[in-house]
Amino acid sequence: MKITFPHMGNLWIPLKTLFEELGTEVVVPSPITKKTISLGVRHSPEFACFPLKVNVGNFIEALERGADTIIMAGGTGPCRFGYYAEVQREILKDLGYDFEIIILEPPQGSLLGLASNIKRIANHKTWNEIYQVVKIAWQQILALDVLHETSLKVRPFEEHKGSTSRAYERAVSLMVEARTEISIADALSYGLKMLKSVKQTSSLRKPLKIGIVGEIYMVIEPFANMEIEKTMGEMGVEVHRSIYLGHWIKEHLLPKVFSPSDVEEIKRAASKYLNHFVGGHGLESVGRTILYARDNYDGVIHILPFTCTPEIVAQSILPEVSKDFQIPLLSFSMDEHSGKAGIQTRLEAFLDLLEQKREKETLQGAV
Protein backbone atom coordinates (compact mmCIF):
# COMPACT_ATOMS: atom_id res chain seq x y z
CA MET A 1 0.00 0.00 0.00
CA LYS A 2 1.38 3.42 -1.03
CA ILE A 3 -0.68 6.17 0.53
CA THR A 4 -1.24 9.73 -0.59
CA PHE A 5 -3.60 12.51 0.54
CA PRO A 6 -4.49 16.13 -0.35
CA HIS A 7 -1.91 18.87 0.09
CA MET A 8 -3.12 21.58 2.49
CA GLY A 9 -0.55 23.82 4.14
CA ASN A 10 1.66 21.82 6.53
CA LEU A 11 -0.84 18.98 6.92
CA TRP A 12 1.51 16.67 4.99
CA ILE A 13 4.04 16.70 7.85
CA PRO A 14 1.93 15.07 10.59
CA LEU A 15 0.21 12.80 8.05
CA LYS A 16 3.59 11.60 6.74
CA THR A 17 4.67 10.92 10.30
CA LEU A 18 1.41 9.16 11.13
CA PHE A 19 1.37 6.79 8.17
CA GLU A 20 5.11 6.08 8.05
CA GLU A 21 5.24 5.32 11.78
CA LEU A 22 2.30 2.96 11.24
CA GLY A 23 4.48 1.12 8.73
CA THR A 24 2.88 2.36 5.52
CA GLU A 25 4.73 3.77 2.53
CA VAL A 26 3.76 7.36 1.79
CA VAL A 27 3.79 9.30 -1.47
CA VAL A 28 3.80 12.84 -0.12
CA PRO A 29 1.71 15.12 -2.36
CA SER A 30 3.94 17.57 -4.21
CA PRO A 31 3.62 21.26 -3.34
CA ILE A 32 0.82 22.81 -5.38
CA THR A 33 1.90 24.41 -8.64
CA LYS A 34 0.17 25.84 -11.70
CA LYS A 35 0.52 22.37 -13.25
CA THR A 36 -1.39 20.84 -10.29
CA ILE A 37 -4.22 23.31 -10.77
CA SER A 38 -4.22 22.87 -14.54
CA LEU A 39 -4.58 19.08 -14.14
CA GLY A 40 -7.38 19.46 -11.61
CA VAL A 41 -9.30 22.03 -13.60
CA ARG A 42 -9.01 20.00 -16.82
CA HIS A 43 -10.60 16.91 -15.28
CA SER A 44 -13.07 18.36 -12.73
CA PRO A 45 -16.61 19.67 -13.26
CA GLU A 46 -16.52 23.39 -14.03
CA PHE A 47 -19.01 24.19 -11.23
CA ALA A 48 -17.01 22.31 -8.58
CA CYS A 49 -15.39 24.44 -5.90
CA PHE A 50 -11.69 25.23 -6.17
CA PRO A 51 -10.35 22.88 -3.43
CA LEU A 52 -11.88 19.85 -5.18
CA LYS A 53 -10.07 20.75 -8.40
CA VAL A 54 -6.75 21.25 -6.58
CA ASN A 55 -7.18 17.89 -4.80
CA VAL A 56 -7.79 16.14 -8.13
CA GLY A 57 -4.55 17.66 -9.44
CA ASN A 58 -2.74 16.46 -6.28
CA PHE A 59 -4.07 12.94 -6.69
CA ILE A 60 -3.17 12.67 -10.39
CA GLU A 61 0.40 13.76 -9.65
CA ALA A 62 0.70 11.31 -6.73
CA LEU A 63 -0.83 8.38 -8.66
CA GLU A 64 1.64 9.04 -11.48
CA ARG A 65 4.42 8.76 -8.85
CA GLY A 66 3.23 5.34 -7.72
CA ALA A 67 0.58 5.94 -5.05
CA ASP A 68 -2.16 3.30 -5.00
CA THR A 69 -4.28 4.40 -2.03
CA ILE A 70 -5.83 7.83 -1.42
CA ILE A 71 -6.79 8.95 2.07
CA MET A 72 -9.57 11.53 1.95
CA ALA A 73 -11.68 13.13 4.66
CA GLY A 74 -15.45 12.95 4.51
CA GLY A 75 -17.93 15.54 5.73
CA THR A 76 -21.44 16.21 6.92
CA GLY A 77 -23.98 18.96 6.46
CA PRO A 78 -24.78 21.23 3.49
CA CYS A 79 -21.16 21.68 2.36
CA ARG A 80 -20.30 19.82 -0.86
CA PHE A 81 -17.05 18.68 0.77
CA GLY A 82 -18.91 15.58 1.96
CA TYR A 83 -19.17 14.48 -1.69
CA TYR A 84 -15.59 15.28 -2.69
CA ALA A 85 -14.20 11.78 -2.22
CA GLU A 86 -16.97 10.10 -4.24
CA VAL A 87 -16.69 12.62 -7.08
CA GLN A 88 -12.91 12.37 -7.11
CA ARG A 89 -13.10 8.56 -7.14
CA GLU A 90 -15.30 8.65 -10.27
CA ILE A 91 -13.09 11.23 -12.02
CA LEU A 92 -9.89 9.27 -11.39
CA LYS A 93 -11.46 5.90 -12.30
CA ASP A 94 -12.69 7.42 -15.58
CA LEU A 95 -9.12 8.51 -16.26
CA GLY A 96 -8.04 4.87 -15.92
CA TYR A 97 -6.17 4.96 -12.61
CA ASP A 98 -6.12 1.80 -10.48
CA PHE A 99 -6.33 2.77 -6.81
CA GLU A 100 -8.34 2.50 -3.60
CA ILE A 101 -9.77 5.46 -1.73
CA ILE A 102 -10.29 5.34 2.05
CA ILE A 103 -12.67 7.99 3.39
CA LEU A 104 -12.22 9.15 6.97
CA GLU A 105 -15.63 10.41 8.00
CA PRO A 106 -15.88 12.89 10.92
CA PRO A 107 -16.76 10.85 14.02
CA GLN A 108 -19.03 13.63 15.33
CA GLY A 109 -18.09 12.99 18.94
CA SER A 110 -17.27 9.27 18.65
CA LEU A 111 -13.76 8.14 17.76
CA LEU A 112 -14.74 4.56 16.91
CA GLY A 113 -15.35 5.06 13.19
CA LEU A 114 -12.18 7.07 12.69
CA ALA A 115 -10.13 4.64 14.78
CA SER A 116 -11.50 1.72 12.79
CA ASN A 117 -10.29 3.24 9.52
CA ILE A 118 -6.88 4.03 11.03
CA LYS A 119 -6.64 0.43 12.24
CA ARG A 120 -7.30 -0.70 8.67
CA ILE A 121 -4.22 1.06 7.35
CA ALA A 122 -2.06 0.47 10.44
CA ASN A 123 -0.52 -2.84 9.39
CA HIS A 124 -1.98 -4.75 12.35
CA LYS A 125 -0.44 -2.43 14.96
CA THR A 126 -1.93 -2.69 18.43
CA TRP A 127 -4.25 0.05 19.67
CA ASN A 128 -1.57 1.22 22.05
CA GLU A 129 0.99 1.47 19.22
CA ILE A 130 -1.54 3.40 17.12
CA TYR A 131 -2.29 5.72 20.04
CA GLN A 132 1.43 6.47 20.53
CA VAL A 133 1.84 7.34 16.83
CA VAL A 134 -1.33 9.48 16.74
CA LYS A 135 -0.06 11.31 19.83
CA ILE A 136 3.23 12.17 18.11
CA ALA A 137 1.41 13.41 14.98
CA TRP A 138 -0.91 15.50 17.18
CA GLN A 139 2.06 17.09 18.94
CA GLN A 140 3.55 17.98 15.55
CA ILE A 141 0.26 19.63 14.54
CA LEU A 142 0.14 21.76 17.70
CA ALA A 143 3.81 22.72 17.36
CA LEU A 144 3.37 23.70 13.69
CA ASP A 145 0.36 25.84 14.64
CA VAL A 146 2.44 27.66 17.28
CA LEU A 147 5.26 28.28 14.79
CA HIS A 148 2.84 29.66 12.22
CA GLU A 149 1.05 31.91 14.69
CA THR A 150 4.39 33.26 15.90
CA SER A 151 5.55 33.99 12.34
CA LEU A 152 2.43 36.12 11.77
CA LYS A 153 3.29 38.23 14.82
CA VAL A 154 6.97 38.63 13.90
CA ARG A 155 6.68 39.32 10.14
CA PRO A 156 5.18 42.88 10.25
CA PHE A 157 8.17 44.09 12.27
CA GLU A 158 10.96 42.44 10.23
CA GLU A 159 13.70 44.78 9.08
CA HIS A 160 14.61 42.75 6.02
CA LYS A 161 11.73 41.61 3.85
CA GLY A 162 11.53 37.82 3.68
CA SER A 163 13.65 37.12 6.78
CA THR A 164 10.66 35.87 8.79
CA SER A 165 9.57 33.55 5.99
CA ARG A 166 13.08 32.10 5.76
CA ALA A 167 13.22 31.54 9.54
CA TYR A 168 9.76 29.97 9.48
CA GLU A 169 10.68 27.59 6.65
CA ARG A 170 13.80 26.47 8.54
CA ALA A 171 11.72 25.94 11.69
CA VAL A 172 9.17 23.84 9.77
CA SER A 173 11.93 21.76 8.18
CA LEU A 174 13.18 20.83 11.66
CA MET A 175 9.69 19.66 12.59
CA VAL A 176 9.60 17.31 9.57
CA GLU A 177 12.35 15.18 11.10
CA ALA A 178 11.08 15.34 14.71
CA ARG A 179 9.29 12.12 15.64
CA THR A 180 9.55 11.87 19.41
CA GLU A 181 8.04 14.03 22.14
CA ILE A 182 11.48 15.34 23.05
CA SER A 183 12.60 16.07 19.49
CA ILE A 184 9.31 17.85 18.72
CA ALA A 185 9.68 20.00 21.85
CA ASP A 186 13.31 20.75 20.90
CA ALA A 187 12.35 21.59 17.29
CA LEU A 188 9.59 23.90 18.53
CA SER A 189 11.89 25.61 21.00
CA TYR A 190 14.65 26.11 18.41
CA GLY A 191 12.13 27.22 15.77
CA LEU A 192 10.64 29.84 18.09
CA LYS A 193 14.14 31.04 18.93
CA MET A 194 14.91 31.49 15.22
CA LEU A 195 11.68 33.41 14.63
CA LYS A 196 12.18 35.67 17.64
CA SER A 197 15.75 36.42 16.54
CA VAL A 198 14.56 37.89 13.23
CA LYS A 199 15.96 41.42 13.16
CA GLN A 200 13.19 43.91 13.91
CA THR A 201 12.69 47.41 12.57
CA SER A 202 13.21 50.28 14.97
CA SER A 203 9.96 51.94 13.84
CA LEU A 204 7.45 52.62 16.61
CA ARG A 205 4.56 52.45 14.15
CA LYS A 206 1.67 50.36 15.40
CA PRO A 207 0.79 47.84 12.66
CA LEU A 208 -2.74 47.39 11.38
CA LYS A 209 -4.35 44.26 12.80
CA ILE A 210 -6.44 42.16 10.43
CA GLY A 211 -8.29 38.93 11.09
CA ILE A 212 -8.74 36.28 8.41
CA VAL A 213 -11.93 34.22 8.27
CA GLY A 214 -13.38 31.86 5.70
CA GLU A 215 -13.30 28.35 4.31
CA ILE A 216 -10.58 26.23 5.95
CA TYR A 217 -8.76 25.05 2.80
CA MET A 218 -8.56 28.54 1.31
CA VAL A 219 -7.39 30.01 4.62
CA ILE A 220 -4.72 27.37 5.33
CA GLU A 221 -3.26 26.61 1.87
CA PRO A 222 -0.98 29.51 0.84
CA PHE A 223 -0.92 28.66 -2.89
CA ALA A 224 -4.72 28.71 -3.01
CA ASN A 225 -5.00 32.09 -1.24
CA MET A 226 -2.09 33.68 -3.13
CA GLU A 227 0.03 33.79 0.05
CA ILE A 228 -2.22 36.49 1.44
CA GLU A 229 -0.83 36.22 4.98
CA LYS A 230 2.77 36.60 3.81
CA THR A 231 1.85 39.46 1.49
CA MET A 232 0.09 41.42 4.21
CA GLY A 233 2.78 40.66 6.79
CA GLU A 234 5.48 42.00 4.46
CA MET A 235 3.30 45.11 4.02
CA GLY A 236 3.58 45.65 7.78
CA VAL A 237 0.23 44.18 8.81
CA GLU A 238 -0.24 41.91 11.82
CA VAL A 239 -2.46 39.06 10.65
CA HIS A 240 -4.46 36.72 12.83
CA ARG A 241 -5.71 33.48 11.28
CA SER A 242 -9.01 32.25 12.72
CA ILE A 243 -8.56 28.58 11.76
CA TYR A 244 -5.74 26.16 12.50
CA LEU A 245 -5.53 22.41 12.01
CA GLY A 246 -5.35 21.81 15.75
CA HIS A 247 -8.48 23.88 16.31
CA TRP A 248 -10.39 22.03 13.58
CA ILE A 249 -9.37 18.58 14.88
CA LYS A 250 -10.39 19.43 18.45
CA GLU A 251 -13.77 20.65 17.25
CA HIS A 252 -14.60 17.96 14.69
CA LEU A 253 -12.62 14.80 15.47
CA LEU A 254 -12.35 14.69 19.25
CA PRO A 255 -15.09 14.24 21.87
CA LYS A 256 -16.81 17.50 22.86
CA VAL A 257 -14.95 17.64 26.15
CA PHE A 258 -11.83 18.53 24.10
CA SER A 259 -13.57 21.21 21.99
CA PRO A 260 -11.74 24.55 21.80
CA SER A 261 -12.87 26.97 24.48
CA ASP A 262 -14.00 29.58 21.95
CA VAL A 263 -16.48 27.40 20.02
CA GLU A 264 -19.51 28.44 22.09
CA GLU A 265 -18.33 32.05 22.19
CA ILE A 266 -18.24 32.14 18.37
CA LYS A 267 -21.75 30.69 18.16
CA ARG A 268 -23.10 33.20 20.70
CA ALA A 269 -21.48 36.08 18.83
CA ALA A 270 -23.03 34.98 15.52
CA SER A 271 -26.47 34.07 16.91
CA LYS A 272 -28.17 37.40 16.13
CA TYR A 273 -27.27 37.01 12.44
CA LEU A 274 -26.94 33.25 11.98
CA ASN A 275 -28.09 30.77 14.61
CA HIS A 276 -27.69 27.42 12.89
CA PHE A 277 -25.07 25.32 11.15
CA VAL A 278 -24.81 26.06 7.43
CA GLY A 279 -21.93 23.72 6.65
CA GLY A 280 -18.20 24.35 6.45
CA HIS A 281 -17.16 27.42 8.44
CA GLY A 282 -19.98 29.77 7.42
CA LEU A 283 -21.19 30.31 10.97
CA GLU A 284 -17.63 30.66 12.26
CA SER A 285 -16.88 33.33 9.65
CA VAL A 286 -19.75 35.45 10.98
CA GLY A 287 -18.99 34.85 14.68
CA ARG A 288 -15.25 35.37 14.29
CA THR A 289 -15.76 38.66 12.44
CA ILE A 290 -17.81 39.96 15.36
CA LEU A 291 -15.18 38.82 17.86
CA TYR A 292 -12.45 40.55 15.83
CA ALA A 293 -14.53 43.76 15.93
CA ARG A 294 -14.92 43.46 19.71
CA ASP A 295 -11.14 42.96 20.02
CA ASN A 296 -10.60 46.24 18.13
CA TYR A 297 -9.09 44.74 15.00
CA ASP A 298 -8.76 47.23 12.15
CA GLY A 299 -10.39 44.97 9.57
CA VAL A 300 -11.34 41.48 8.48
CA ILE A 301 -10.59 39.58 5.29
CA HIS A 302 -13.00 36.86 4.23
CA ILE A 303 -11.62 34.16 1.89
CA LEU A 304 -13.81 31.62 0.13
CA PRO A 305 -13.70 29.40 -2.94
CA PHE A 306 -15.97 30.63 -5.72
CA THR A 307 -19.46 29.00 -5.37
CA CYS A 308 -18.79 27.77 -1.79
CA THR A 309 -22.31 27.38 -0.37
CA PRO A 310 -21.60 27.87 3.39
CA GLU A 311 -19.35 30.86 2.80
CA ILE A 312 -21.84 32.45 0.37
CA VAL A 313 -24.32 32.41 3.27
CA ALA A 314 -21.69 34.13 5.44
CA GLN A 315 -20.83 36.54 2.62
CA SER A 316 -24.45 37.67 2.41
CA ILE A 317 -24.51 38.40 6.17
CA LEU A 318 -21.08 39.94 6.70
CA PRO A 319 -21.86 43.38 5.15
CA GLU A 320 -24.54 43.89 7.83
CA VAL A 321 -22.09 42.74 10.52
CA SER A 322 -19.47 45.11 9.12
CA LYS A 323 -21.93 48.02 9.27
CA ASP A 324 -23.26 47.21 12.77
CA PHE A 325 -19.81 46.75 14.31
CA GLN A 326 -18.03 49.39 12.23
CA ILE A 327 -15.36 46.96 11.11
CA PRO A 328 -14.18 47.17 7.47
CA LEU A 329 -14.45 43.93 5.54
CA LEU A 330 -12.89 42.69 2.31
CA SER A 331 -14.10 39.47 0.71
CA PHE A 332 -12.05 37.40 -1.77
CA SER A 333 -13.91 34.75 -3.77
CA MET A 334 -11.14 32.75 -5.42
CA ASP A 335 -10.76 30.09 -8.08
CA GLU A 336 -8.36 29.08 -10.85
CA HIS A 337 -8.90 32.41 -12.59
CA SER A 338 -7.72 34.52 -9.63
CA GLY A 339 -4.49 36.44 -10.12
CA LYS A 340 -1.95 37.60 -7.54
CA ALA A 341 -1.66 41.09 -9.03
CA GLY A 342 -5.40 41.68 -8.70
CA ILE A 343 -5.39 40.44 -5.10
CA GLN A 344 -2.44 42.71 -4.26
CA THR A 345 -4.12 45.76 -5.78
CA ARG A 346 -7.30 45.23 -3.78
CA LEU A 347 -5.27 44.61 -0.61
CA GLU A 348 -3.31 47.85 -1.05
CA ALA A 349 -6.53 49.83 -1.50
CA PHE A 350 -8.09 48.15 1.56
CA LEU A 351 -5.04 48.87 3.73
CA ASP A 352 -5.01 52.53 2.60
CA LEU A 353 -8.63 52.84 3.71
CA LEU A 354 -7.83 51.27 7.07
CA GLU A 355 -4.90 53.65 7.62
CA GLN A 356 -7.12 56.63 6.78
CA LYS A 357 -9.81 55.36 9.16
CA ARG A 358 -7.26 54.97 11.95
CA GLU A 359 -5.84 58.49 11.39
CA LYS A 360 -9.34 59.96 11.40
CA GLU A 361 -10.20 58.20 14.66
CA THR A 362 -6.90 59.34 16.20
CA LEU A 363 -7.60 62.98 15.25
CA GLN A 364 -11.14 62.79 16.60
CA GLY A 365 -9.81 61.35 19.87
CA ALA A 366 -7.32 64.21 20.17
CA VAL A 367 -10.03 66.91 19.90
Side-chain angles (χ1 to χ4, degrees), residues 48-223:
C49 46
F50 189 48
L52 180 143
K53 298 173 183 176
V54 181
N55 289 172
V56 169
N58 283 150
F59 296 155
I60 291 174
E61 290 178 325
L63 292 169
E64 292 288 347
R65 290 167 48 216
D68 58 23
T69 305
I70 294 171
I71 304 296
M72 186 67 194
T76 58
C79 177
R80 289 177 291 177
F81 180 72
Y83 298 104
Y84 270 27
E86 298 300 337
V87 174
Q88 289 160 345
R89 187 206 311 267
E90 294 305 313
I91 291 171
L92 297 170
K93 291 289 183 187
D94 285 348
L95 290 173
Y97 290 107
D98 182 20
F99 66 99
E100 181 185 10
I101 187 164
I102 298 175
I103 305 171
L104 302 178
E105 296 288 353
Q108 299 295 303
S110 168
L111 284 173
L112 291 178
L114 181 64
S116 173
N117 272 321
I118 291 176
K119 181 83 171 174
R120 183 180 167 198
I121 54 179
N123 287 319
H124 308 293
K125 299 279 186 186
T126 65
W127 287 113
N128 183 53
E129 288 172 323
I130 294 171
Y131 169 74
Q132 295 301 328
V133 173
V134 170
K135 193 167 74 168
I136 292 298
W138 173 240
Q139 287 169 342
Q140 276 188 325
I141 289 171
L142 295 180
L144 287 165
D145 287 353
V146 171
L147 289 174
H148 186 90
E149 197 165 9
T150 303
S151 74
L152 295 181
K153 290 178 180 173
V154 171
R155 188 173 286 117
F157 300 98
E158 67 186 9
E159 183 169 306
H160 303 292
K161 190 174 178 179
S163 54
T164 305
S165 296
R166 288 191 289 275
Y168 174 68
E169 287 164 10
R170 287 199 300 274
V172 170
S173 69
L174 294 176
M175 198 59 68
V176 174
E177 304 301 326
R179 294 199 174 181
T180 64
E181 289 186 44
I182 293 174
S183 61
I184 290 171
D186 288 345
L188 175 60
S189 174
Y190 192 64
L192 289 174
K193 195 177 292 183
M194 284 194 291
L195 284 166
K196 289 174 182 175
S197 66
V198 169
K199 194 169 183 182
Q200 303 280 282
T201 175
S202 56
S203 170
L204 297 177
R205 183 187 68 85
K206 184 182 174 186
L208 292 170
K209 285 182 70 176
I210 293 182
I212 292 186
V213 301
E215 192 270 340
I216 184 170
Y217 185 88
M218 300 301 293
V219 170
I220 288 181
E221 173 49 51
F223 197 93

Side-chain angles (χ1 to χ4, degrees), residues 107-111 246-264 267 277:
Q108 299 295 303
S110 168
L111 284 173
H247 189 282
W248 184 87
I249 290 170
K250 285 180 183 175
E251 185 178 356
H252 296 279
L253 299 185
L254 298 182
K256 283 192 175 179
V257 67
F258 297 109
S259 290
S261 56
D262 59 356
V263 170
E264 293 305 318
K267 288 179 181 175
F277 179 62

Side-chain angles (χ1 to χ4, degrees), residues 184-363:
I184 290 171
D186 288 345
L188 175 60
S189 174
Y190 192 64
L192 289 174
K193 195 177 292 183
M194 284 194 291
L195 284 166
K196 289 174 182 175
S197 66
V198 169
K199 194 169 183 182
Q200 303 280 282
T201 175
S202 56
S203 170
L204 297 177
R205 183 187 68 85
K206 184 182 174 186
L208 292 170
K209 285 182 70 176
I210 293 182
I212 292 186
V213 301
E215 192 270 340
I216 184 170
Y217 185 88
M218 300 301 293
V219 170
I220 288 181
E221 173 49 51
F223 197 93
N225 64 37
M226 310 280 170
E227 297 187 308
I228 197 166
E229 294 173 334
K230 180 182 171 187
T231 301
M232 283 198 293
E234 292 181 350
M235 293 166 79
V237 176
E238 185 176 337
V239 178
H240 185 272
R241 179 199 282 184
S242 62
I243 307 171
Y244 279 91
L245 281 175
H247 189 282
W248 184 87
I249 290 170
K250 285 180 183 175
E251 185 178 356
H252 296 279
L253 299 185
L254 298 182
K256 283 192 175 179
V257 67
F258 297 109
S259 290
S261 56
D262 59 356
V263 170
E264 293 305 318
E265 185 184 10
I266 293 169
K267 288 179 181 175
R268 281 196 300 273
S271 60
K272 178 184 171 186
Y273 303 89
L274 183 63
N275 61 7
H276 61 276
F277 179 62
V278 294
H281 291 82
L283 189 148
E284 286 86 347
S285 292
V286 174
R288 275 288 186 187
T289 298
I290 293 169
L291 294 181
Y292 281 136
R294 289 176 180 168
D295 288 340
N296 297 315
Y297 274 66
D298 295 289
V300 169
I301 289 181
H302 178 219
I303 307 174
L304 67 153
F306 183 60
T307 76
C308 172
T309 307
E311 295 300 336
I312 286 175
V313 174
Q315 195 177 29
S316 69
I317 295 170
L318 285 174
E320 187 180 352
V321 171
S322 171
K323 181 180 176 184
D324 289 351
F325 287 85
Q326 296 290 297
I327 184 163
L329 171 79
L330 179 61
S331 187
F332 285 111
S333 179
M334 296 179 169
D335 65 7
E336 64 271 21
H337 302 296
S338 301
K340 195 164 187 175
I343 302 291
Q344 173 116 8
T345 301
R346 291 183 64 195
L347 274 178
E348 288 171 353
F350 185 60
L351 297 182
D352 281 347
L353 285 172
L354 296 187
E355 289 284 7
Q356 290 173 25
K357 179 174 180 285
R358 177 184 279 186
E359 287 175 13
K360 185 178 176 183
E361 289 171 348
T362 302
L363 287 173

